[in-house]
Amino acid sequence: MKRVSVASLALAAALAAALIPAAAVAADPAGQAVDAARKRWQESPHGPMLERILPPTFEPAQLPEPASRGARLTIEYCVQCHNLPNPAMHHAAKWPGIVERMVVRMRGKGNLGELMKEMMAGVKAPSDEERAVLLAYLQRHSQRPLDPRRYPEIRTDATKSFRLACQQCHTLPDPQRHTASEWESVVARMERNMLWMNRVVGSRPDPREPQLRIDEILDFLQRYAKKG
């Protein structure tokens, strides 16, 4: 059975982050926006901090309804300050507060005072109408929380790795969100995210960390997955 620590394989995480840029950016507006943001971070003294806000494992082509206005606005505004967010990062009720906070920051205001204003130099904020479209898009494709009444197994030791892994970053996802084959790639991406977020590059895995059983996580999700 495959096991990994909650945070391990630092070198692999660093390589995954490094491989995303130019080779993965096609000659399309979305790719160009992401590429331009990365170049801006490289030139900014705040770039290293901005680039570490979100993992670089989600690309424009993976956005739901990628040709929609909501997807275009997500790319246009969100990648100004950090890597592209997945709408499924949060459930619908959480997105309004996050969008509001991000818009305030894009306007150069927020909890860092003058530093925030300096960091947001050259960054544009959405209009009220654009913000409404963006929020509706993020909520429409947000994470669908798991209902424990439908999955009694969620309270047992058999799903301990699932709870431990997923609740680090968002609400527990409903297995019905994806088909069995889709879950395989989603779980692989989440594993890369955990490696990227939880390990300082160059450090070594700590054997005292909880060991996640990736096979058990995938087994649970695939057994109750949406029929393809």
Side-chain angles (χ1 to χ4, degrees), residues 71-180:
R72 293 198 301 271
L73 289 174
T74 300
I75 296 167
E76 179 180 355
Y77 289 107
C78 297
V79 301
Q80 293 182 107
C81 305
H82 50 66
N83 287 306
L84 184 65
N86 181 348
M89 282 179 58
H90 303 294
H91 55 283
K94 195 169 181 180
W95 271 121
I98 292 173
V99 170
E100 177 63 26
R101 187 168 70 248
M102 294 302 102
V103 170
V104 168
R105 291 178 178 176
M106 281 187 273
R107 291 173 177 165
K109 303 175 183 178
N111 58 336
L112 295 179
E114 286 300 312
L115 177 58
M116 181 62 69
K117 185 176 182 180
E118 178 186 329
M119 290 173 62
M120 295 298 108
V123 170
K124 64 176 183 176
S127 66
D128 290 343
E129 187 269 340
E130 288 176 321
R131 178 172 57 180
V133 173
L134 176 60
L135 176 58
Y137 171 79
L138 293 171
Q139 289 187 304
R140 186 163 64 252
H141 298 290
S142 62
Q143 188 64 259
R144 187 169 67 198
L146 175 149
D147 183 350
R149 294 171 298 182
R150 293 185 60 189
Y151 308 99
E153 186 179 343
I154 198 63
R155 300 184 180 91
T156 69
D157 285 344
T159 57
K160 182 178 180 179
S161 283
F162 171 68
R163 299 193 307 271
L164 180 62
C166 299
Q167 288 184 143
Q168 291 181 101
C169 303
H170 52 70
T171 187
L172 291 178
D174 189 332
Q176 288 283 308
R177 182 179 178 89
H178 296 293
T179 64

Side-chain angles (χ1 to χ4, degrees), residues 8-54:
S8 61
L9 301 178
L11 180 58
L15 289 174
L19 289 175
I20 296 263
V25 177
D28 62 274
Q32 290 173 0
V34 173
D35 195 31
R38 290 199 176 101
K39 289 179 180 177
R40 191 162 56 245
W41 299 339
Q42 291 172 4
E43 298 168 356
S44 169
H46 310 295
M49 180 175 69
L50 296 172
E51 195 167 10
R52 290 298 303 179
I53 293 174
L54 289 178

Side-chain angles (χ1 to χ4, degrees), residues 182-200:
E182 289 171 342
W183 272 122
E184 190 166 351
S185 61
V186 170
V187 169
R189 189 173 74 245
M190 295 304 101
E191 187 177 357
R192 293 195 300 272
N193 286 351
M194 286 188 290
L195 297 178
W196 184 88
M197 289 186 291
N198 293 319
R199 175 66 59 196
V200 176

